Amino acid sequence: MTGRFAPTPSGYMHIGNASTALLSWLHVKSLGGKIVLRIEDIDYQRCKKKYTKSIFEDLSKMGLNWDGEPLFQSDRDENYLSVLNFLIQKDLVFACSCNRKMIRKSILNKDSKYYQGACIKKNLPLDGPYSLRLKTWKGYPVIRRSDKAWSYNFVVVIDDASQKVTHIVRGADLQECDSFQEHLRGLLGYESPSIHHAPIWLGPGGQKLSKKHGPISLKDYFQKGWSPEALLGAIAAGLNLKKDKSPCSANYLINSFGSYDWNKSSVYSSDFLPL
Ligand code: GLU
């Protein structure tokens, strides 16, 4: 059994990320499995080395140790290309020259939620300045953008398989990606992992917790004098892993984890942590 942390180093790790990491870790640890780390750093504009470094430090401080060497998506272009070629050989990929405005129009005209695949018949060259889309049973998601950036949904499936991940825990905000990822696994002959969703941490107004609500990174809390155990206690209480906010270690939470109720979909941060 293998779980994973898959942070995007586009900012410092915050309460929401830490909570997902904690649940991923507890889930496989309580089953006697291991956990691997993957740095999802292919958004070159937003991802920074200093954030990656800080993620390593924060996970270690919180006692959320991982197994083996981390995988960096930025190192994996060859792997993604070879899967792309496999899909091209199966005639499942086409180039698309539509811009956002055209796609919006196509959606409006056909009264459908999905892009209508207007470019399939154009047979544009796959190595041209176009986005690449996959032909699926319910639409044509982009797998590589025209600037050659890979889409999250494409690479995550390849990497989970490469890292032999059997137990995925990710934010409830990514739930809508599950069906496409499962479809892609089927095309590639990969096994299906078990998937659970971690509650989303909310700011006072009910939107997803973010920097605009205040200093919410672990680094900020540590600077204000919070210990990793105090933070873990508050996060664990927010997740209903324990009744009170008293400090605890991640290890302490493993034994009672078996009965965790995955149905909780959000947590009001301010009920558990000062913002
Ligand atoms: N990298 C994503 C994030 O930081 C998580 C992706 C996933 O868990 O599938 O939100």
Side-chain angles (χ1 to χ4, degrees):
M1 274 163 287
T2 303
R4 41 81 151 178
F5 305 129
T8 301
S10 56
Y12 292 109
M13 195 163 168
H14 60 67
I15 299 302
N17 310 131
S19 141
T20 305
L22 175 64
L23 287 177
S24 309
W25 188 89
L26 287 172
H27 188 36
V28 283
K29 291 289 162 184
S30 70
L31 297 168
K34 60 175 192 161
I35 188 145
V36 294
L37 175 58
R38 176 168 74 241
I39 301 297
E40 303 210 321
D41 57 349
I42 45 173
D43 182 338
Y44 298 108
Q45 309 279 330
R46 291 169 57 235
C47 295
K48 304 241 173 339
K49 289 229 164 65
K50 67 172 181 183
Y51 297 136
T52 302
K53 186 167 166 270
S54 164
I55 289 169
F56 292 157
E57 288 166 4
D58 287 344
L59 287 172
S60 300
K61 276 191 201 160
M62 303 289 273
L64 302 175
N65 52 310
W66 60 93
D67 297 283
E69 290 299 313
L71 191 76
F72 288 81
Q73 288 190 328
S74 53
D75 289 340
R76 301 214 357 114
D77 220 49
E78 292 292 314
N79 303 72
Y80 305 147
L81 272 174
S82 90
V83 175
L84 173 64
N85 285 332
F86 171 83
L87 294 170
I88 290 174
Q89 271 156 27
K90 301 228 162 230
D91 191 26
L92 288 170
V93 179
F94 65 98
C96 171
S97 59
C98 296
N99 56 34
R100 273 165 210 247
K101 202 168 143 202
M102 292 152 84
I103 291 171
R104 223 176 2 250
K105 206 168 134 202
S106 136
I107 290 170
L108 286 176
N109 289 346
K110 306 272 182 179
D111 190 33
S112 158
K113 198 165 143 218
Y114 300 104
Y115 165 65
Q116 295 296 317
C119 287
I120 292 186
K121 293 204 184 76
K122 292 190 199 157
N123 276 321
L124 297 165
L126 296 174
D127 55 358
Y130 310 116
S131 57
L132 298 181
R133 289 180 180 271
L134 191 66
K135 300 176 195 168
T136 79
W137 85 114
K138 67 168 199 179
Y140 308 99
V142 171
I143 53 175
R144 192 159 75 155
R145 293 193 328 224
S146 56
D147 64 1
K148 308 286 183 226
W150 300 103
S151 85
Y152 153 73
N153 271 317
F154 181 64
V155 296
V156 84
V157 165
I158 301 169
D159 291 342
D160 280 333
S162 299
Q163 291 188 287
K164 302 192 168 40
V165 172
T166 56
H167 289 66
I168 293 177
V169 176
R170 60 171 159 235
D173 52 338
L174 290 172
Q175 194 155 1
E176 59 185 29
C177 301
D178 291 349
S179 65
F180 169 67
Q181 293 185 15
E182 188 54 24
H183 177 70
L184 186 53
R185 274 185 214 106
L187 295 177
L188 299 172
Y190 298 162
E191 286 190 21
S192 305
S194 92
I195 301 185
H196 286 96
H197 298 100
I200 303 301
W201 286 69
L202 306 175
Q207 318 94 327
K208 190 177 171 186
L209 188 66
S210 74
K211 272 191 290 207
K212 68 172 189 287
H213 293 113
I216 55 155
S217 72
L218 302 196
K219 200 168 166 275
D220 294 323
Y221 284 98
F222 294 145
Q223 265 166 16
K224 282 189 268 183
W226 282 66
S227 66
E229 290 75 21
L231 269 180
L232 279 162
I235 293 172
L239 293 171
N240 285 347
L241 289 167
K242 65 200 237 337
K243 291 201 177 64
D244 60 64
K245 297 190 262 181
S246 58
C248 68
S249 67
N251 263 320
Y252 168 84
L253 298 165
I254 295 178
N255 285 342
S256 57
F257 189 76
S259 54
Y260 186 65
D261 173 8
W262 290 100
N263 288 324
K264 182 164 185 166
S265 61
S266 59
V267 183
Y268 271 95
S269 319
S270 45
D271 293 345
F272 300 93
L273 282 155
L275 293 178

